[in-house]
Amino acid sequence: MLHVQDVDFGTTCVLFTTCLKEIKTWSDANPGHVPLLVLVEPKDEEMTLEAPMEWTVPLPFGAAELDALDAEIRSVFDDTDLVTPDLVRGDHDTLGGAVESEGWPTLGEVRGRVLFALNNASLRDLYLVGHPSLSGRVMFTNTDPGLEDSAFANRNDPVDDASAIADALAANMLVRTRADADTVQARENDTTQRDAAFASGAHFVSTDYEVANPDFGPYSVAIPGGTPARCNPITAPPACTPSDVENPAHLAG
């Protein structure tokens, strides 16, 4: 949808649920896909409107808004469509304890599902209120190992955050990182961060350049080997092949 209001005005989804319905449609048509991660970043900064309006509009994101986010997700996806904290926690006392001791469900158990993660670490405590260990919640929180909700970690810089990524992987957490940011790598055709991201063992690598931007240069990002997904270089068993993770022949397109 929107990341920066004045930049992303070309969004194709006016409503959050519009984007969710597009994901749901594709997922239903491709039930063999690996779990899709939707990283949600609520924006609660103040927005200054310039002349002729000239006022500042506060955009708070509190408990009611977080509850509404969960409700909107559930208005599109059933529990059988989702990987939720409750599903991962199972019979364990805490989500973090379940992940550290048993890890996440197998790919075979969660193919065709979607998981949501709350990017804002600043909203973690509020999202947990009334929902210990994310009980009843839809989204996973962005957090560190050793906590009641330690299941997902967002570490944007695979170079500077290399040790933090390794710590999260050691605790069986899912990790998301970035191959590039703010057009820097694309403008300089610098693959340092991209290569570090793929080597880090992070499960999800985000990029703005699945296809090169001709205004910047040849920089682009694709899964090594050209497959939709691949075996994790840090945590996968030795016999794993990319088609074990996701076979393109099983996807409708």
Side-chain angles (χ1 to χ4, degrees):
M1 294 182 66
L2 293 175
H3 188 198
V4 179
Q5 293 94 326
D6 293 336
V7 174
D8 299 323
F9 50 83
T11 177
T12 58
C13 296
V14 177
L15 300 176
F16 182 50
T17 50
T18 303
C19 283
L20 297 183
K21 289 173 183 176
E22 289 191 15
I23 295 170
K24 165 73 169 165
T25 298
W26 187 91
S27 179
D28 286 348
N30 296 275
H33 69 76
V34 296
L36 303 177
L37 170 67
V38 179
L39 189 65
V40 180
E41 184 179 24
K43 294 292 189 179
D44 56 2
E45 301 95 341
E46 289 189 344
M47 180 175 65
T48 300
L49 303 179
E50 299 178 353
M53 302 181 195
E54 295 184 348
W55 72 77
T56 297
V57 181
L59 300 172
F61 216 100
E65 287 75 22
L66 290 172
D67 289 344
L69 257 181
D70 275 10
E72 291 216 331
I73 295 170
R74 290 193 184 278
S75 75
V76 176
F77 295 98
D78 296 327
D79 276 348
T80 55
D81 301 319
L82 297 169
V83 181
T84 62
D86 287 336
L87 174 67
V88 177
R89 185 177 57 254
D91 296 330
H92 289 261
D93 292 336
T94 68
L95 174 62
V99 167
E100 187 165 14
S101 63
E102 293 190 22
W104 282 68
T106 66
L107 279 176
E109 293 171 323
V110 292
R111 285 195 182 279
R113 297 190 182 224
V114 182
L115 64 142
F116 289 80
L118 179 64
N119 184 50
N120 311 53
S122 61
L123 292 175
R124 170 188 173 262
D125 291 346
L126 185 59
Y127 195 61
L128 282 167
V129 172
H131 299 271
S133 196
L134 296 175
S135 175
R137 284 300 197 185
V138 177
M139 297 184 285
F140 294 88
T141 42
N142 174 19
T143 189
D144 300 309
L147 302 172
E148 63 172 305
D149 52 332
S150 296
F152 172 80
N154 185 38
R155 301 293 179 261
N156 285 326
D157 190 329
V159 177
D160 292 345
D161 296 333
S163 62
I165 291 174
D167 290 344
L169 293 177
N172 294 328
M173 298 172 69
L174 287 188
V175 181
R176 176 263 188 184
T177 193
R178 297 179 68 167
D180 42 73
D182 303 324
T183 76
V184 173
Q185 288 76 20
R187 292 178 186 275
E188 299 176 359
N189 194 26
D190 182 356
T191 64
T192 303
Q193 185 167 325
R194 181 194 71 184
D195 297 343
F198 283 130
S200 70
H203 303 87
F204 301 95
V205 177
S206 296
T207 180
D208 292 326
Y209 303 97
E210 184 179 3
V211 176
N213 184 332
D215 293 333
F216 298 157
Y219 177 85
S220 65
V221 177
I223 297 291
T227 54
R230 64 163 185 166
C231 302
N232 190 296
I234 303 298
T235 60
C240 179
T241 66
S243 61
D244 293 329
V245 182
E246 185 163 79
N247 190 336
H250 296 163
L251 303 181

